[in-house]
Amino acid sequence: MSAKIRQPHSPISGFIFHLHPRKVAAETIRFTLSFGLGGMAATLFLVLAVTGVLQLLSYSSDSTAAYQSIILMYAGSSLAGFIRNVHHWAGNLLVIVALLHLLRVYLTGALGQGRRLNWLIGCTLFLLVLLANFTGYLLPWDQLAFWAVTIFTNMVTYVPLIGDPLGELLRGSNEVGPATLANFFAIHVGLIPPLILILLIYHFWLIRKAGGLVRSRNGEAHAPMVPTVPTLISREAAVGFGLCALLFLFSALVDAPLDDIANPGQSPNPAKAAWYFMGLQELLLHLHPVFAICIVPLLMLLLLAMLPFLRQAALEPGIWCGGSRGRWTAASSFLAGLLGVIIWVIVDEFVFKISGSEHFLTPWLSRGIVPLLSLIFISGLVYRLLRLRKSPPSESVMAVTLLCLGIVCGLTVIGIWFRGPGMALGFFFLKG
Ligand code: HEM
Ligand code: HEM
């Protein structure tokens, strides 16, 4: 029997009880259920909002002064440089943390009734986090920023029909220049953060409405409850403060990158997109642009958005990957995707392109339809084989999803570390 729990009353606890109920199921505060990833993402957003506002004191969004304003942040023993570092590393870390949070939500089967809408909100939040990072990337107005944004806005123009106007809308003119900086600054500061905040409030409300985090079927029936204050709150505080301590320490030791001032006349070699878009840039080296920039990413986004609506995709709630066999399937499919795409890139680079066999068919076929159909065929084969081995449908869908994730991660890793001057393939990261 649960004893009557006395709760302290103060303005702080008043705020806490707006976010949380007074008691939560003991099962849901297990660290290994959520790894505190949602809380980490929320902490990082808070840090970004505070450091972002502080940066407004020293940053100038005028293209003739932007770079200099960043240099000045590091002059003397000013705190501004440290704040920029924190903002930079927090923004980049948020991409990774949000992706891991997305994975944990899916793999612990938290997509059932009452959580579907929250999954879609989450997907939108993830896209907004990417957009926030991308628009922030240009603001230092250095060579890295200028050329990364040039590459990405050029990639956008490959989208059929709307590509050119979309590229122009982003750049605010024909090419990246002062109008782009003004555009990106306004979007970065005035549009994306309020949108994220509104969606986050809705995100938290939907979690409360769903009765808290996901529980196992066993836990639903007879769930021991624990008081939010202090049990849940002390854990959330430990995760939040621990993360901030590590982030601040790292930012004190490692400066955010800054190259020479933007020079539209001289492109660096290699000119690379921001790291979270390197998978797309890598794909562009192998596929027809319409497939690389539009069809393949859209199909993957569609698969992601549809996961909660596919009856076969619902994993056992509250249990990672549906059980130990599922965990093994998940790990091996991810690795298969990662290794498979590495082999494909090497074969394409050193066999197909050199032998000229890529020109055997029209580019639409050899660099578009054939690779896409091969991916669909391999995914179908993985699904079928697992079903024949008596794996439940949810485990088989999970295998296909993690195979795709492995492919995306493989392409990103190759793009970041294994592409050098002229986008040649090699161990360039070893040369520093
Ligand atoms: C999810 C939210 C946000 C993310 C992911 C994000 C990310 C970034 C990134 C990656 C940069 C480039 C940093 C660099 O390398 O120099 C940046 C710059 C900047 N951000 Fe944000 N930011 C966010 C929210 C905000 C907010 C709320 C503000 C202000 C209200 C803000 C103001 C700025 C300013 C002024 C810069 C330019 C200074 C600089 O480059 O250091 N940001 N942001
Ligand atoms: C800025 C980004 C995000 C923040 C700050 C955030 C925050 C949170 C927090 C604090 C929780 C509860 C604790 C936890 O699960 O760790 C949560 C749960 C949840 N999040 Fe997010 N989230 C973000 C992005 C996402 C994304 C990208 C997705 C999926 C596409 C997502 C889907 C969900 C769902 C479905 C739940 C409920 C999980 C359950 O019932 O067990 N969120 N989120």
Side-chain angles (χ1 to χ4, degrees), residues 258-341:
L258 186 68
D259 206 343
D260 294 334
I261 190 165
N263 179 356
Q266 194 196 356
S267 132
N269 189 8
K272 291 194 179 182
W275 68 267
Y276 33 84
F277 291 141
M278 274 314 299
L280 281 183
Q281 196 180 357
E282 180 62 36
L283 205 55
L284 198 55
L285 293 173
H286 305 280
L287 294 190
H288 187 286
V290 172
F291 282 81
I293 300 304
C294 198
I295 296 177
V296 173
L298 278 183
L299 282 178
M300 290 210 173
L301 275 180
L302 196 71
L303 171 67
L304 198 67
M306 275 173 41
L307 278 177
F309 304 96
L310 296 173
R311 211 167 24 89
Q312 302 92 324
L315 285 161
E316 183 66 23
I319 299 170
W320 275 86
C321 308
S324 57
R325 194 175 112 161
R327 287 194 280 278
W328 190 88
T329 308
S332 33
S333 336
F334 177 80
L335 278 179
L338 191 81
L339 293 179
V341 81

Side-chain angles (χ1 to χ4, degrees), residues 48-62:
L48 282 161
V50 173
T51 51
V53 170
L54 288 176
Q55 288 206 96
L56 293 179
L57 300 173
S58 38
Y59 177 74
S60 161
S61 62
D62 187 309

Side-chain angles (χ1 to χ4, degrees), residues 18 32 82 87 93 117 151 167 176 178 239 377 384 402 413 430:
H18 270 90
T32 48
F82 171 72
H87 194 79
L93 189 58
L117 176 60
I151 288 171
V176 177
V239 168
F377 174 75
R384 228 24 254 149
L402 286 176
V413 165
L430 292 177

Side-chain angles (χ1 to χ4, degrees), residues 312 378-388 392-394 396-397 399-400:
Q312 302 92 324
I378 291 170
S379 303
L381 196 66
V382 168
Y383 184 87
R384 228 24 254 149
L385 284 177
L386 283 169
R387 292 294 289 129
L388 285 176
S394 58
S396 314
V397 174
V400 172

Side-chain angles (χ1 to χ4, degrees), residues 2-328:
S2 68
K4 201 166 181 334
I5 296 163
R6 278 183 1 106
Q7 302 279 2
H9 290 284
S10 70
I12 297 181
S13 60
F15 172 72
I16 291 170
F17 295 132
H18 270 90
L19 277 177
H20 296 297
R22 286 178 179 264
K23 290 186 223 164
V24 287
E27 189 194 346
T28 59
I29 62 165
R30 240 185 328 128
F31 186 66
T32 48
L33 174 69
S34 70
F35 289 99
L37 287 161
M40 288 188 204
T43 309
L44 287 173
F45 178 68
L46 201 69
V47 169
L48 282 161
V50 173
T51 51
V53 170
L54 288 176
Q55 288 206 96
L56 293 179
L57 300 173
S58 38
Y59 177 74
S60 161
S61 62
D62 187 309
S63 67
T64 54
Y67 183 74
Q68 201 53 32
S69 72
I70 301 275
I71 297 274
L72 279 176
M73 290 182 191
Y74 292 95
S77 54
S78 145
L79 204 63
F82 171 72
I83 290 172
R84 170 177 184 248
N85 294 348
V86 173
H87 194 79
H88 175 93
W89 296 122
N92 284 276
L93 189 58
L94 183 55
V95 176
I96 299 169
V97 169
L99 179 67
L100 292 177
H101 171 61
L102 177 155
L103 264 181
R104 104 80 189 143
V105 168
Y106 169 48
L107 295 179
T108 55
L111 299 184
Q113 280 290 345
R115 294 188 172 82
R116 290 187 179 137
L117 176 60
N118 221 3
W119 173 261
L120 295 180
I121 303 276
C123 290
T124 317
L125 277 169
F126 187 64
L127 293 180
L128 284 173
V129 165
L130 283 182
L131 202 63
N133 268 291
F134 173 61
T135 49
Y137 203 96
L138 183 67
L139 304 187
W141 202 243
D142 62 346
Q143 279 285 76
L144 282 175
F146 183 91
W147 287 99
V149 171
T150 303
I151 288 171
F152 186 79
T153 49
N154 284 347
M155 290 204 283
V156 167
T157 58
Y158 290 121
V159 177
L161 302 175
I162 54 161
D164 282 326
L166 193 63
E168 206 145 310
L169 186 78
L170 276 175
R171 287 188 296 246
S173 77
N174 287 338
E175 45 197 39
V176 177
T180 322
L181 185 58
N183 250 3
F184 275 40
F185 179 70
I187 297 175
H188 185 80
V189 172
L191 187 66
I192 300 173
L195 271 181
I196 293 186
L197 186 66
I198 294 168
L199 287 181
L200 272 184
I201 293 171
Y202 196 36
H203 195 59
F204 294 154
W205 183 73
L206 285 174
I207 296 168
R208 240 193 118 155
K209 205 169 150 233
L213 297 198
V214 68
R215 288 185 227 172
S216 59
R217 286 182 215 279
N218 201 12
E220 287 276 10
H222 27 77
M225 305 295 274
V226 288
T228 296
V229 181
T231 317
L232 171 61
I233 286 301
S234 55
R235 288 174 191 221
E236 285 184 339
V239 168
F241 288 126
L243 177 71
C244 285
L246 289 177
L247 176 69
F248 295 164
L249 182 68
F250 187 78
S251 305
L253 298 175
V254 188
D255 281 344
L258 186 68
D259 206 343
D260 294 334
I261 190 165
N263 179 356
Q266 194 196 356
S267 132
N269 189 8
K272 291 194 179 182
W275 68 267
Y276 33 84
F277 291 141
M278 274 314 299
L280 281 183
Q281 196 180 357
E282 180 62 36
L283 205 55
L284 198 55
L285 293 173
H286 305 280
L287 294 190
H288 187 286
V290 172
F291 282 81
I293 300 304
C294 198
I295 296 177
V296 173
L298 278 183
L299 282 178
M300 290 210 173
L301 275 180
L302 196 71
L303 171 67
L304 198 67
M306 275 173 41
L307 278 177
F309 304 96
L310 296 173
R311 211 167 24 89
Q312 302 92 324
L315 285 161
E316 183 66 23
I319 299 170
W320 275 86
C321 308
S324 57
R325 194 175 112 161
R327 287 194 280 278
W328 190 88

